[in-house]
Amino acid sequence: MPILTAGTTAPEFRLHVTPDQKLSLSELRGKPVVLAFYPADWSPVCGDELSVFNEILPELLKYSAELVAISVDGAWCHDAFAKHKHLHFSLLSDFEPKGDTARAYGSYREADGVCERALFVLDKNGVITWSYCSPVAVSPGADGILKALEALPK
């Protein structure tokens, strides 16, 4: 199944953001949202990709955008990884039932049991305005995200 495309309403989710707290997509309504699905904490490419996103957070704030990254790793793993990499955005755990949210977005790799490296920009109403799926071994960078945010109505 290909990833969801522009014009699609983003599927709702409620995922662990910490071991004892959850965050739902509906809680982010009213501002643009960047969803970054990635295969796994602690992998070299994912670490580099999320570090780039961490560096562009000031740019995202110019658009009042919220960034959340999603993988099938558990909340405790995310917590350790975020602290180690000094990440300043939420890592959401699509751990159990494993990959349900990634499947809803067309970004689950059944054969590998991990998420695709897929990006989505949602408008303030939760509609996907841009999506991109990068090869799993390649960091997609941030240019596409920034261009998509720039194209959103003011």
Side-chain angles (χ1 to χ4, degrees):
M1 174 178 159
I3 66 169
L4 298 180
T5 57
T8 306
T9 298
E12 179 61 37
F13 57 75
R14 185 167 171 75
L15 299 171
H16 279 278
V17 66
T18 69
D20 60 352
Q21 291 180 302
K22 289 187 174 186
L23 177 69
S24 65
L25 181 59
S26 59
E27 292 175 68
L28 303 175
R29 289 281 193 278
K31 58 183 159 187
V33 176
V34 177
L35 299 178
F37 287 87
Y38 66 101
D41 294 338
W42 306 106
S43 75
V45 175
C46 294
D48 291 347
E49 176 186 18
L50 297 181
S51 292
V52 167
F53 294 159
N54 206 43
E55 289 176 25
I56 66 156
L57 283 175
E59 291 297 313
L60 299 181
L61 290 175
K62 291 178 185 177
Y63 301 99
S64 302
E66 183 82 26
L67 168 67
V68 295
I70 302 171
S71 84
V72 297
D73 290 308
W76 290 107
C77 187
H78 281 337
D79 185 56
F81 182 67
K83 285 177 182 169
H84 177 77
K85 296 297 260 179
H86 307 287
L87 301 177
H88 300 289
F89 55 89
S90 297
L91 302 181
L92 303 184
S93 176
D94 193 11
F95 184 70
E96 194 60 46
K98 186 178 181 182
D100 267 9
T101 298
R103 280 184 188 87
Y105 283 79
S107 63
Y108 188 71
R109 296 174 63 93
E110 292 288 343
D112 301 321
V114 298
C115 298
E116 292 281 3
R117 194 173 305 287
L119 301 171
F120 300 87
V121 173
L122 317 179
D123 68 13
K124 65 181 181 177
N125 300 311
V127 175
I128 297 169
T129 62
W130 177 83
S131 63
Y132 177 74
C133 188
S134 178
V136 76
V138 178
S139 176
D143 290 345
I145 292 170
L146 295 173
K147 287 178 186 172
L149 288 170
E150 190 174 299
L152 290 175
K154 305 294 183 237

